[in-house]
Structures are given as structure tokens and as C-alpha cells.
Amino acid sequence: MTDHIVVLGAGYAGLGAAKRAARRLRGADVRVTLVNATDRFVERIRLHQLAAGQRLPDLPLAGLLAGTGIELVVARVIGIDPEARTVRLDAAPYDLSYDVLVYALGSAAELDAVPGVREHAYTLATADGAVRLRARLAETREVTVIGGGLTGIEAATEFAETVPGLRVCLVSAGLIGEGLSARARRHLHRAFSRMGIAVREHAPVVKIGPGGPLLESGEELRSETVVWAAGFRVPDLAAAAGLATDRHGRMLVDRSLRSVSHPEVFGIGDAAAADRSGRPTRMACQTGLPMGIYAGEAVADLLTGRKPRRARFRYVWQNISLGRNDGVTQFTRKDDSPVDAVLTGPASAAFKETISRGTVWAMRHPGPYRPFPR
């Protein structure tokens, strides 16, 4: 009987998992189906560039899957029944049965963190959202970016550099770049000053209205356009299906990335809470792609009677672009805590661009999983 592997989501994790499993199981009596809401691979790490008006490479999934034997289904997942081992979709074929499921549905913008985000803010979590924001930036004079993490930093600097005459304000509930070293944060603020970006730190936003965000202090920041980059959420599908999840809805997985409640399901990428010394993995392609390649290997092992190996991850750096010609590369310990070593300026920008292009190459040619050394 043919085994059926169904992979949900064609981001960095899901596409890597599908392609690696298909490659490992080539010639075996196995089907691999990849389900995604669109027919394009989205370079999520470049969506701030798309919003700023830059052209990105068009990456049809059909081209990335050519020659793999993987069946692509373009549909949204609306439900999972782990007891019947079926997935419900909003388009044909509407129902898919599986023997092994890989859950890689990623994350989306958190639209309910404070009142008014849905009604009055733009987001950068999807290509459609970035395109809507691009149209808005072409007709606005000022933009306030809320969120002091990597998404907010990259968006604010890209907009300030690329959109002529645009006034940019970056607002954060705490420090901007809070997980970075003091040396890296100093470089960020030099870049903000050079680009004319107004900065508000320790300024929690409690509401967004039609005229701009309202701060916890009672101050209203008037702004024509607001970009919400202060948090992400995962789909509620895993929790609704009865799969074990954490309080954020991320699937709880063991050291082999298998669901702790349903071992025929693997959870990878943003939507999974991988056990790493009690902490979940960071939402990033730096973890998503290795998790995907590992999951592809593990699924192949499972279906060929081998015991899946334990997944191991470590961090090496965080790359932050500050426009096209500046950046900060924060080197880290394996637990993701920062060290004092940083790379800045054009060298960091070139380094990140090389890594970003290499990620797309890896999407085309996902090699074997090689665990990071301890």
C-alpha cells in the first residue's frame, strides 16, 4: 500500500521537508503532497523590501518542485482530524488522507494584541500585506512602525532609505533590538540618526486609532500610516484538532520534532515549539530551513523502518538589514544569547544578502540534514 506524506505549508520549513523526503524516498511506494495557500514561494525575510517598492524574484512553487514528483495542492487548510488522519481544505480535493503529516503552517501577524490593529494598521507577515503597504507608502508622507524587533527595525530603515521624503518613526515597548549586545544597539541608533528616523523606546502602545497609535502614557502619536510589527501568532488549527500545544498554540514536539500527543505528526518552523533547553526555537528561516530538512529525513527514516535521529539546533548569528548598504550581524552563543562580536556596515549588508540568496538556493537543493555540533 502506498504511504502518503502530506506537508502543510510551503515556507522555508515545509518546502525543505517536502523536497528532502521526496528525494530520500525516490523510487519507494510513497506519495508526497505539499499544500499551500498560494502557488508562490514567499521570501518572508524580504517582505520589507517588497513593501518599500523593490522588485523581488518571482518563485513559482511549480518551478521549485519540478522533477521531484511532489504534488502541489493550492488551498487553505481549514481543519485537521488526527484520529481519521485527514486534512480538510477550502478547495479541491477538499479532503486529504495521510499516513504521516508535517505541520509547517508558519505564523501570521498578531492582529488582536491591542484594539485597532485590524482596522487601522498595515502588516508585513504576508506578500499580500506587503503589496497593500507598498501602495499606501506611495501616497503617504509619514509612517509609524510599531515593534522594536527585527521586522520593525528592517522595515523602518528600508522605508526611510527607499521612499523619498517619507518621515519614519519607530516605536517599541522596550529597547529596540532588545536581544542584541550594547555594541549592536549603538550601531542601530547611529543608523536611525543618519536616516532621520524618530525613535521612541519604552513606549507601549495600547490602542491604534484612525489618527495613529495611543501610548500607555496617554500620548497620541499622530501618523497617516501605521505598520504593526510587534508580534506574530500561529494558526489555531493544531490546538483545535486536539494536538498538544503550548499556550501560544505552537505544537509541542519531542526531540525528533514529532508531536508529543500524535507521533505520526511532525511539527516544524514557526508553528512548532521545539524543546531546546526549555525554550522554543526562534521564529526565523535560520531555524525553519534546518528543521524542514531534518523533518524530511526523519519522515523518510520512519517510513523505511529506521528510528528518526534527535534534532539538534544551535544559533550562530542574527542578521539585520538597515537598508541596502548597512546592517548589523550579531554573533551569538549556541543558545542565541549575544556575544560582543558584531559585523556592521556594508560588510554586514553584503553578508546578509549572500545568506538570503543562499537560502533560496537551499530551497532548490535541500541537502542532507547535518546536526550542529554541541
Side-chain angles (χ1 to χ4, degrees):
M1 186 176 68
T2 302
D3 288 313
H4 192 194
I5 303 165
V6 174
V7 181
L8 306 181
Y12 298 102
L15 183 57
K19 293 190 72 170
R20 188 61 196 159
R23 185 174 176 180
R24 273 282 313 275
L25 294 167
R26 184 171 295 166
D29 192 13
V30 173
R31 290 174 57 207
V32 181
T33 300
L34 177 62
V35 180
N36 198 57
T38 72
D39 64 352
R40 262 41 186 181
F41 175 72
V42 176
E43 287 188 90
R44 191 164 175 178
I45 57 176
R46 292 191 187 273
L47 288 181
H48 58 288
Q49 296 175 240
L50 179 62
Q54 299 167 33
R55 293 187 63 182
L56 300 184
D58 185 33
L59 298 170
L61 286 170
L64 293 172
L65 297 175
T68 65
I70 297 170
E71 177 190 5
L72 174 64
V73 173
V74 179
R76 294 185 182 277
V77 181
I78 58 175
I80 301 170
D81 184 342
E83 305 310 316
R85 297 196 182 189
T86 59
V87 176
R88 297 192 305 278
L89 310 175
D90 70 347
Y94 297 104
D95 291 285
L96 282 173
S97 61
Y98 64 83
D99 295 289
V100 179
L101 182 70
V102 180
Y103 185 87
L105 288 175
S107 60
E110 174 52 87
L111 301 179
D112 298 311
V114 301
V117 173
R118 288 181 180 273
E119 297 83 1
H120 304 297
Y122 293 81
T123 63
L124 278 168
T126 65
D128 287 345
V131 169
R132 287 193 294 271
L133 178 55
R134 179 179 64 188
R136 176 63 178 172
L137 291 178
E139 60 184 26
T140 193
R141 296 167 299 173
E142 57 189 11
V143 60
T144 297
V145 179
I146 301 172
L150 272 61
T151 302
I153 293 167
E154 293 191 326
T157 52
E158 201 76 45
F159 301 162
E161 180 180 89
T162 306
V163 183
L166 184 68
R167 296 192 298 274
V168 180
C169 178
L170 179 59
V171 180
S172 177
L175 287 173
I176 294 173
E178 193 161 16
L180 305 177
S181 65
R183 184 179 173 189
R185 290 199 304 273
R186 286 195 296 270
H187 186 81
L188 291 181
H189 284 275
R190 286 194 294 268
F192 300 152
S193 178
R194 171 174 55 81
M195 295 180 176
I197 298 171
V199 172
R200 298 292 299 268
E201 294 185 304
H202 304 292
V205 171
V206 295
K207 183 179 180 180
I208 299 176
L214 176 68
L215 302 185
E216 189 177 64
S217 65
E219 180 184 0
E220 185 176 2
L221 300 180
R222 304 298 300 178
S223 183
E224 292 179 354
T225 303
V226 175
V227 177
W228 182 259
F232 296 91
R233 62 171 179 80
V234 301
D236 61 2
L237 289 163
L243 297 162
T245 60
D246 66 9
R247 63 188 180 89
H248 301 294
R250 288 163 44 133
M251 186 188 298
L252 293 173
V253 296
D254 64 16
R255 296 287 183 146
S256 297
L257 304 184
R258 299 169 76 178
S259 165
V260 298
S261 60
H262 295 76
E264 72 281 358
V265 179
F266 287 77
I268 56 176
D270 290 359
D275 183 4
R276 183 174 56 84
S277 301
R279 299 196 306 172
T281 50
R282 174 165 34 104
M283 291 183 174
C285 67
Q286 186 181 150
T287 50
L289 179 55
M291 289 172 81
I293 292 173
Y294 168 80
E297 295 268 358
V299 169
D301 285 342
L302 186 66
L303 293 180
T304 53
R306 300 182 179 89
K307 182 179 179 180
R309 288 176 292 169
R310 172 175 164 174
R312 296 188 297 176
F313 303 98
R314 63 157 295 171
Y315 296 99
V316 183
W317 58 66
Q318 291 189 51
N319 271 326
I320 308 170
S321 64
L322 305 173
R324 295 297 85 209
N325 299 297
D326 192 5
V328 173
T329 300
Q330 172 69 70
F331 293 95
T332 67
R333 300 177 181 88
K334 65 182 181 181
D335 66 356
D336 207 26
S337 60
V339 297
D340 196 43
V342 297
L343 181 68
T344 61
S348 173
F351 179 55
K352 182 177 181 184
E353 182 62 24
T354 299
I355 295 297
S356 298
R357 293 184 181 184
T359 299
V360 174
W361 185 91
M363 290 288 91
R364 298 183 187 276
H365 311 282
Y369 170 76
R370 289 185 172 83
F372 288 111
R374 285 291 185 184

